[in-house]
Amino acid sequence: QKPFDYLIVGSGLYGAVFAHEAQKHQKKCLVIDKRDHLGGNVYCEAVEGINVHKYGAHIFHTNDKAIWDYVNRFVTFNRYTNSPLANYKGDLYNLPFNMNTFYKLWGVTSPQEAQEIIASQTKKYQVKTPKNLEEQALSLVGEDIYYKLIKGYTEKQWGRKAVDLPAFIIKRLPLRFTFDNNYFNDTYQGIPIGGYNKLIEGLLKDVVCKTGVDYFLDKTHWDQMADTIVFTGKIDEFYGYCHGKLEYRSLRFEHETLDQPNYQGNAVVNYTDAETPYTRVLEHKHFEFGKQNKTVITREYPLEAAAGNEPYYPINNAKNSDLYKKYKAMAANDEVIFGGRLAEYKYYDMHQVIAAALSKTKSLFGS
Ligand code: FAD
């Protein structure tokens, strides 16, 4: 008889929701995480009373009322609305592209004037099949928006010239002809009051958790702890990279505490020129309307996917998709449950990963 029903490797949202639901159904769970804290990428570190999003800005948004109600059972969410700014060579523009952006770019005050300018700028780029990302973007939004607000940012993000990037990376570039700076279209949006750790603590209350332990360093020991393994780490690592390594884009975060109450007046400012080496500056207190005397900012630098770098964004090209299929086929013949962004090699927003974990537990334990 093993001491636990489930060993859950990874305490991110997938692992935490799975553990919560399993425990609700009288299953004994043990959660382990190799990091020295729980919560995976939504973890916040308290600095000067400010919840610092240690692994990048996390803004919760969903259209699914059931998911919104679910997370609000553990912590109340505030009414934060994501309305990022773009800084291009010192000039500020509103994002997503909307009438405020067009007013700043061209001085236009009516949707019709903005539409006419965009039509005149995109006309000559209406080729049948854009050969690369640059051609694709120019055909969708025209020169001004592309050169000021897209090109530099995208090239920094991917570490490659836009003419060397495939067109499919940008499928659509939404243009809004209203004065609306709300980045997301979802009905529900916000940040947990007191930070994401409250959500994770609520989910993992009463669950046995161990941090600072890497499953692979003593796999045999951990496998003996439970009847079933739920694995939320990297699927290629689970199978010893036997088919090769899945690729990820990574980021480097540079956190800084400043002795001033307000640095940039907004939670997120994107730097869209090519010269500034970082892509974004976050000012964390604004996620929770903080009034502290100091402030904490984070500069976000894009990083090549390389050994040792945190895997953040799956690179969904043909090579990686084929590779993932091979691992998925192996997983299909395994007793282990694979879930979450690393095990499914999939970009999941928070609401989606919660929905995926709830769907899995529902199939196992009923609602
Ligand atoms: P993770 O949170 O990564 O958890 C996996 C856990 O497994 C980690 O804690 C890891 O340490 C642990 N682990 C891995 N291997 C092992 C091992 N061998 N042994 C022990 N433990 C192990 N979503 C939104 O909805 N809104 C946003 O604004 C948003 N912003 C984002 C910004 C960035 C930079 C990134 C990268 C993601 C963002 N997301 C956002 C997505 C969000 O982070 C994910 O949906 C969510 O964190 C996925 O949860 P998870 O449990 O699948 O993975």
Side-chain angles (χ1 to χ4, degrees):
Q1 177 80 17
K2 294 181 177 174
F4 292 92
D5 297 304
Y6 289 96
L7 169 76
I8 296 154
V9 181
S11 64
L13 277 173
Y14 191 96
V17 168
F18 190 100
H20 181 83
E21 293 301 312
Q23 200 118 316
K24 213 166 80 185
H25 290 85
Q26 284 74 50
K27 305 293 178 198
K28 282 201 283 175
C29 296
L30 169 62
V31 173
I32 61 168
D33 203 297
K34 66 178 176 185
R35 291 179 180 166
D36 62 2
H37 59 73
L38 300 171
N41 282 348
V42 306
Y43 170 72
C44 296
E45 193 170 77
V47 181
E48 302 290 343
I50 299 162
N51 291 310
V52 174
H53 296 203
K54 186 105 189 277
Y55 303 96
H58 276 75
I59 299 142
F60 200 95
H61 58 97
T62 182
N63 269 325
D64 188 333
K65 185 166 187 314
I67 298 290
W68 182 246
D69 290 344
Y70 184 82
V71 291
N72 273 275
R73 292 217 305 261
F74 302 100
V75 56
T76 306
F77 280 62
N78 69 17
R79 53 147 197 88
Y80 175 81
T81 302
N82 190 27
S83 40
L85 292 164
N87 182 319
Y88 178 74
K89 298 182 190 281
D91 283 333
L92 291 177
Y93 299 86
N94 288 106
L95 297 174
F97 310 131
N98 72 76
M99 281 305 295
N100 291 305
T101 329
F102 309 144
Y103 175 66
K104 180 67 191 276
L105 278 167
W106 306 308
V108 293
T109 53
S110 76
Q112 195 188 332
E113 289 171 287
Q115 277 157 346
E116 279 167 12
I117 292 180
I118 290 164
S120 75
Q121 289 198 8
T122 52
K123 209 166 150 196
K124 65 171 178 251
Y125 299 106
Q126 300 307 314
V127 284
K128 262 215 177 89
T129 324
K131 284 200 292 291
N132 53 50
L133 185 144
E134 178 154 305
E135 285 188 10
Q136 169 80 330
L138 284 166
S139 75
L140 292 168
V141 295
E143 286 145 355
D144 288 338
I145 298 176
Y146 173 68
Y147 287 113
K148 289 188 174 170
L149 302 176
I150 296 173
K151 184 176 165 34
Y153 189 87
T154 310
E155 293 186 341
K156 285 191 284 191
Q157 212 177 15
W158 289 93
R160 284 159 73 189
K161 293 273 166 229
V163 288
D164 296 329
L165 286 166
F168 76 81
I169 293 180
I170 292 184
K171 289 198 181 72
R172 330 178 291 124
L173 283 169
L175 299 169
R176 235 181 240 169
F177 294 95
T178 51
F179 290 90
D180 179 6
N181 297 327
N182 179 357
Y183 192 80
F184 295 116
N185 293 314
D186 292 340
T187 311
Y188 308 102
Q189 175 174 189
I191 303 283
I193 297 173
Y196 283 92
N197 297 4
K198 290 235 152 98
L199 174 60
I200 297 294
E201 282 159 21
L203 286 164
L204 291 176
K205 187 171 161 274
D206 305 326
V207 177
V208 182
C209 300
K210 288 191 196 311
T211 54
V213 283
D214 188 331
Y215 171 68
F216 295 114
L217 291 185
D218 204 352
K219 187 172 180 305
T220 320
H221 164 74
W222 295 113
D223 285 348
Q224 283 159 4
M225 297 299 279
D227 297 331
T228 307
I229 313 288
V230 178
F231 185 76
T232 75
K234 288 163 65 183
I235 191 167
D236 51 352
E237 188 177 14
F238 188 89
Y239 289 115
Y241 304 109
C242 63
H243 296 300
K245 285 194 172 185
L246 289 165
E247 293 171 307
Y248 289 87
R249 275 196 301 123
S250 191
L251 292 170
R252 180 169 69 82
F253 300 110
E254 194 180 85
H255 306 288
E256 191 181 353
T257 303
L258 302 175
D259 201 3
Q260 64 187 80
N262 192 358
Y263 173 72
Q264 62 185 16
N266 205 41
V268 183
V269 178
N270 292 4
Y271 282 76
T272 57
D273 63 300
E275 293 75 26
T276 309
Y278 40 86
T279 44
R280 303 205 284 183
V281 176
L282 314 178
E283 188 171 13
H284 301 267
K285 69 192 313 177
H286 298 307
F287 289 124
E288 295 185 61
F289 316 110
K291 299 275 180 284
Q292 299 85 351
N293 292 329
K294 294 192 181 180
T295 195
V296 182
I297 61 163
T298 300
R299 295 182 191 86
E300 211 172 277
Y301 295 82
L303 212 58
E304 279 293 300
N309 291 343
E310 279 288 336
Y312 285 124
Y313 300 107
I315 301 179
N316 285 316
N317 57 23
K319 180 182 153 211
N320 289 313
S321 302
D322 287 348
L323 200 52
Y324 173 63
K325 273 186 205 142
K326 292 184 184 163
Y327 288 117
K328 198 178 169 196
M330 292 177 83
N333 298 316
D334 217 314
E335 304 274 274
V336 174
I337 296 170
F338 291 89
R341 65 183 190 102
L342 299 168
E344 295 178 67
Y345 193 63
K346 182 172 182 175
Y347 182 82
Y348 268 130
D349 269 333
M350 290 180 277
H351 64 286
Q352 294 165 324
V353 89
I354 292 170
L358 287 174
S359 148
K360 186 71 202 175
T361 52
K362 197 173 169 193
S363 74
L364 292 170
F365 316 121
S367 53

